[in-house]
């Protein structure tokens, strides 16, 4: 019998959460998740790159090499810390998590700013409550990582 935590781990894996929320290092086969930083978001000790590219001015998007940060017409966004640390989702309720995931609201607050690209929250608007619960249970079960992710940077000129 599959537990909620096992189901949540499966969902996190197939939904690609690690693609953006887990810092990576280059290995022999390309980017590899740094196990002790799994799902901790954009590393707070990493400098923020000044994306001053003509491609951005043309509407293109660009990613940091490990995909934890992205820049585009929306400015620069950083993948959040999904670990159960207080700098992540440690103080969140399951309802806040559901609002963030299914309604695209920052910190799961009804009046929160919209989650920025590349977060594909709109793909999860019809997610079943039991799947949201399983993901939340899994994320609460992983090792906490203290990492305060930077606030988004608005597009230049704003």
């Amino acid at each position: 019998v599959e537990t909620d935590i096992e189901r949540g781990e499966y969902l996190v894996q197939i939904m690609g959460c690690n693609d953006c929320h887990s810092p990576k290092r280059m290995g022999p086969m390309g980017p590899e998740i740094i196990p002790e930083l799994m799902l901790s978001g954009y590393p707070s000790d990493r400098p923020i790159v000044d994306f001053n590219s003509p491609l951005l001015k043309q509407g293109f998007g660009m990613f940091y090499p490990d995909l934890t940060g992205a820049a585009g017409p929306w400015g620069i966004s950083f993948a959040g810390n999904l670990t159960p640390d207080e700098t992540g989702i440690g103080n969140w309720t399951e309802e806040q998590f559901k609002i963030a995931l299914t309604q695209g609201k920052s910190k799961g607050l009804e009046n929160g700013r919209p989650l920025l690209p590349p977060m594909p929250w709109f793909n999860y608007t019809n997610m079943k409550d039991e799947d949201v619960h399983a993901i939340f249970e899994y994320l609460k079960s992983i090792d906490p990582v203290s990492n305060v992710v930077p606030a988004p940077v608005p597009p230049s000129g704003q």
Side-chain angles (χ1 to χ4, degrees):
V1 175
E2 184 179 55
T3 67
D4 285 340
I5 291 173
E6 291 167 336
R7 172 95 179 137
E9 181 178 21
Y10 165 76
L11 290 167
V12 163
Q13 288 174 357
I14 66 164
M15 290 167 56
C17 303
N18 282 301
D19 292 354
C20 296
H21 289 274
S22 291
K24 295 157 207 76
R25 62 180 155 235
M26 280 304 185
M29 305 284 283
E32 298 174 346
I33 294 170
I34 302 169
E36 61 274 17
L37 298 178
M38 185 180 72
L39 296 169
S40 65
Y42 181 89
S44 60
D45 61 352
R46 180 185 294 159
I48 297 173
V49 174
D50 179 15
F51 285 95
N52 192 11
S53 165
L55 291 175
L56 285 178
K57 292 175 179 54
Q58 295 175 37
F60 283 80
M62 301 173 77
F63 282 89
Y64 278 79
D66 72 352
L67 308 179
T68 59
W74 62 87
I76 306 174
S77 54
F78 305 96
N81 181 348
L82 301 181
T83 74
D85 188 78
E86 65 182 13
T87 62
I89 65 164
N91 297 328
W92 289 31
T93 65
E94 188 170 326
E95 184 62 20
Q96 279 178 279
F97 183 72
K98 179 181 177 181
I99 290 168
L101 194 58
T102 64
Q103 297 177 33
K105 299 289 188 175
S106 179
K107 301 192 186 306
L109 302 173
E110 292 284 352
N111 60 352
R113 67 163 172 76
L115 293 179
L116 297 171
M119 177 60 190
W121 66 267
F122 40 85
N123 292 332
Y124 312 132
T125 56
N126 295 318
M127 185 178 284
K128 295 177 182 175
D129 287 346
E130 56 264 30
D131 288 340
V132 172
H133 174 75
I135 294 168
F136 188 69
E137 288 298 309
Y138 169 66
L139 293 175
K140 289 291 195 163
S141 78
I142 65 175
D143 290 337
V145 177
S146 180
N147 181 46
V148 178
V149 173
V153 177
S156 50
Q158 290 187 9

